[in-house]
Amino acid sequence: MKSLKQITGFLLLSLILCYPACQPEKKDPGQVYQFDLQEIAKTTSLTHEWVKNPDFGGKCLSVTVAENNNELVLTGGTDRIDWPVANYLVCEVWHDNPYSLLLNLQFFRKTGHESMVARQGVETAEASAGPRLSCTIGILPKLKTKMVFPLSHLDGQQIFLGRQPRQLKGTVSGRRIDPADVGKVSIRITPAMQPDFLSKVQINAVYLSDKLPDPYEKPAHAVVDSFGQWTARDWPGKIHNSNELLTAMDKTHRLAQTPGFPDEWSRYGGWKQLQFKAKGFFYTHHDGKRWWLVDPDGYAFLSAGVDCVRDNASGVLGGQKELFSWLPPEQDSVFAAAYSLGRLQQVDFLKANLMRVYGAGWKEKWEEITVGLMKRWRVNTVANWSDNDMARRNKMPYVLNMNDFPGTPTKLYRDFPDVFDPVYQQEAQRFAQQLASVKDDPYLIGYFLQNEPHWAFGDNNLAFEMFAAATPSFSKKEMARWLQKKYGNIKMFNESWKQRLKDFSALESLVLKDRPSDAAWDDCKAFSGMMVDRYVETVCNEVKKVDPNHLNLGMRYAWISSDLCYRAGAWFDVFSINGYSNPAPPPTEEIARRSGKPVIIGEWHFGSATDRGLPATGIQGAESQTARGEAYRYYFEQGIVRPELIGIHWFQWNDQPVFGRFDGENYNIGFLDVCMQPYAELTGQATISHERMYRVATGSEDPYAGKIRKVPQIYY
């Protein structure tokens, strides 16, 4: 008979032998389930191996994707995992690709109808057999990271994740899934494109936790240098010391010494060779061939704009101070303005670099340089999220993004309010008052009501989603009245919807996980249209009362995701969408046909992830800075030749911070970098397009026809 000591020793040896080599030596506090990487490795078809990673202190599972094989299955759906007891899914990862990695978590239901998952800027959505819900999260190269997905987001009501240390942006797509219904879970790893983007990642552990994991220790080397640049890469134009910064900023300052717009342009940037009636404010006009904006002096105007023209490019500092080699002194009378202390502590190296060179007068110098560059590059519109005070001081046409779109205490689906609640009308009146101070400004082109409403991310049946929870609402009461009028009696309704309700008032507590019948789905679709009508009309009526002078530029939809988007066009003066497509703007002819309105592209861009100081392209990619310039010309000129397009606005003026802005975006999408150095390959081509735009629009010159080679979209 073995002694207790022998038995204990045998058990310990067994645990050591059986414990997977890749598992962390010490589990994070709060772990409730750990996925077995050895079992995952046995079942994956991805190329894989076990490698030693000193950062993790042991062996990790290293997987490499192929172009048509990039999914790593964590659980096939038959595993007995108690998802409801956990709060977070955590994946400890590291990679050394020369670009950011995208990890796309996919959650499938055990049974039931799946739904199409669509993402902004992706030409082809996933098939209906895809995941019920997915989340894409960005991971920086060469930085040990705990990718954290809060399981609360399985309800599908929030599009974006909150920031976690080191983790970049996280974006959720699809429909809600009950944690108890979770079956298969997988991670798709991208980019995955031949020949240069076959990504590799090392995974140390994947587990469920009921609390946020402890942060990692300070890395051996700083990730961000004293100028806000990425330390993991060198590139032409990288700043290495204060003298180089001074020289670079002086060069940009000299570049900005420009006499102004071309002589053939009006003081607003309109075209003097084509004149209509002057009304003192911008308005729209169709001349029988195409749509135009008309400037206050009556000249034909096309809006060549750039978003985020402002003196900041801040990123999240809180929770990741260990990534920086230097931070501006917080108590300094000048450098203190480089910090913002809101919900997230942030630091701004664009400001800090301007402060280093210009001291207390940095803000005035930034404005002087910026206005000069805009005129040099023939940018005639200070577009969304910009410094509008700067635009007014310098008599530059601009657009206004209205804040705090009307809401109600109850949300029906994502950000969609309870539009039949009387509070909604009151909120619309409050919302409209912010136009009172600008209603007489001739330099204001118009106002956007809001940006990318989340309810329109995907072809969503709003009324059906309203029944996904038992929450009472005024809109449910209104729909019950509408259904009673349609069906006449509860028996006919029950037969059609396959329900057993006692009366129509019982609809207010009805909960639906799956569509009960085609008739029910169609009824919900019809009432969704009525909801959107009330949503838009209520607000548009109120803003026009306060400001009858300026153009209502619409809602800047992320894309046209469903017919519901078109319905709103009846109340806009201009229909706006954000057009992240490649190589030309998304289809706009149908928008103009169905709405009867001209169109503005509120956002678009191309970025490169490999030849400068940022590892992500943004929503559309180019292989180099030269290709970015070529992509600009093709997109802009192929767009402006369309008779319905009256404005195209690039996103954005400066690059985003490598360590991630408030939500984690860190894209190479600027006209200038963090040290105020222009991307000459881009700005030179943009200038050519802007100078030609009126002649291209009228057909006297052909649009640019050179297309770039497609590369993966590295965005989150």
Side-chain angles (χ1 to χ4, degrees), residues 257-269:
Q257 307 306 305
T258 180
F261 287 142
D263 290 340
E264 64 180 19
W265 285 19
S266 74
R267 57 176 173 157
Y268 294 96

Side-chain angles (χ1 to χ4, degrees), residues 384-385 401-402 405 415 431 447-455 535 554-557 576:
N384 222 35
W385 297 299
N401 185 69
M402 298 186 72
F405 191 84
D415 57 353
F431 173 75
Y447 47 85
F448 295 109
L449 298 173
Q450 63 171 326
N451 181 67
E452 296 187 349
H454 293 180
W455 61 263
Y535 171 77
M555 292 193 173
R556 294 169 55 96
Y557 292 117
S576 60

